[in-house]
Amino acid sequence: MNRQLIVSIGREYGSAGREIAEKLAGKLNIELYDRNLLDEVADTKNVNTNDLEKYDEVPKKRFFSRTVRGYNNSPEANVAELQFALLKSKAADDDSFVVVGRCADDLFRGMPGFVSVFIYSDTKSKVERIMRLKNLDEKQALHKIERHDRKRAAYHNYFSKGGKWGERSNYDLCVNSGVLGIEGTVDFLYDYIQRRVKD
């Protein structure tokens, strides 16, 4: 690839968005950034990754945090800002990558070579997937999906400057992974990106 490519993958819980992002990054032969960003943040701050995981993609608790002279006492906000800064530095170095979540659709909007995608699916497909992967019954799986999506929306909508999580006008492309399946969705996205980045 001759020029920089950054692909942002927003996703509903249970839509296989993370797995699709991983396969797409492999097919494009570029890096994937997801929770592994925490490892780099932990290295730079000399802390344990496990200590950061509970604050990853979690909305800031408004009533229990405050900002004084640009410093915030919210661990959720600090972990988010560290990841945003790391992603921006990789983009500034002309790195190409696929990033899952982390408000990347907002961070890189307007950049040349940037593609933003949102992966969703029908409720039945998501519930069946979570039941299988997490060994839950239907009611538990549905509750888990709803809880995770509420948190993702709150996180995204708090830290993004514009555009709501999952709102189609916020993305270049929204894809129902329940229709094409994982491999079909990866192939579709790969073809779309190739057409987008053609010179």
Side-chain angles (χ1 to χ4, degrees), residues 130-142:
I130 296 306
M131 285 172 65
R132 186 178 72 252
L133 293 177
K134 303 295 183 182
N135 197 26
L136 300 174
D137 65 32
E138 186 176 350
K139 186 177 178 183
Q140 290 170 321
L142 185 59

Side-chain angles (χ1 to χ4, degrees), residues 105-180:
D105 57 289
D106 187 67
L107 285 178
F108 302 117
R109 184 178 287 119
M111 273 186 66
F114 175 62
V115 180
S116 62
V117 177
F118 189 80
I119 308 290
Y120 67 99
S121 188
D122 59 278
T123 302
K124 183 174 182 289
S125 297
K126 291 187 295 185
V127 166
E128 287 174 355
R129 178 176 170 79
I130 296 306
M131 285 172 65
R132 186 178 72 252
L133 293 177
K134 303 295 183 182
N135 197 26
L136 300 174
D137 65 32
E138 186 176 350
K139 186 177 178 183
Q140 290 170 321
L142 185 59
H143 176 70
K144 192 173 185 68
I145 289 165
E146 290 170 347
R147 185 166 47 87
H148 274 270
D149 282 350
R150 274 196 307 271
K151 280 171 66 175
R152 284 179 180 170
Y155 165 86
H156 182 280
N157 297 344
Y158 179 82
F159 289 109
S160 291
K161 307 291 183 276
K164 290 187 176 178
W165 180 84
E167 192 173 273
R168 69 176 184 234
S169 60
N170 202 36
Y171 307 92
D172 296 316
L173 188 66
C174 296
V175 183
N176 183 344
S177 60
V179 173
L180 296 175

Side-chain angles (χ1 to χ4, degrees), residues 89-100:
S89 74
K90 290 178 183 299
D93 289 340
D94 280 337
D95 291 357
S96 290
F97 52 86
V98 174
V99 58
V100 179

Side-chain angles (χ1 to χ4, degrees), residues 23-53:
K23 289 177 181 292
L24 181 63
K27 195 162 183 169
L28 291 166
N29 197 29
I30 58 177
E31 292 292 327
L32 171 72
Y33 294 117
D34 187 15
R35 284 181 175 262
N36 57 343
L37 278 171
L38 291 177
D39 295 331
E40 291 192 46
V41 169
D43 283 346
T44 60
K45 297 298 176 184
N46 201 23
V47 295
N48 190 309
T49 304
N50 295 334
D51 296 334
L52 302 178
E53 278 186 347

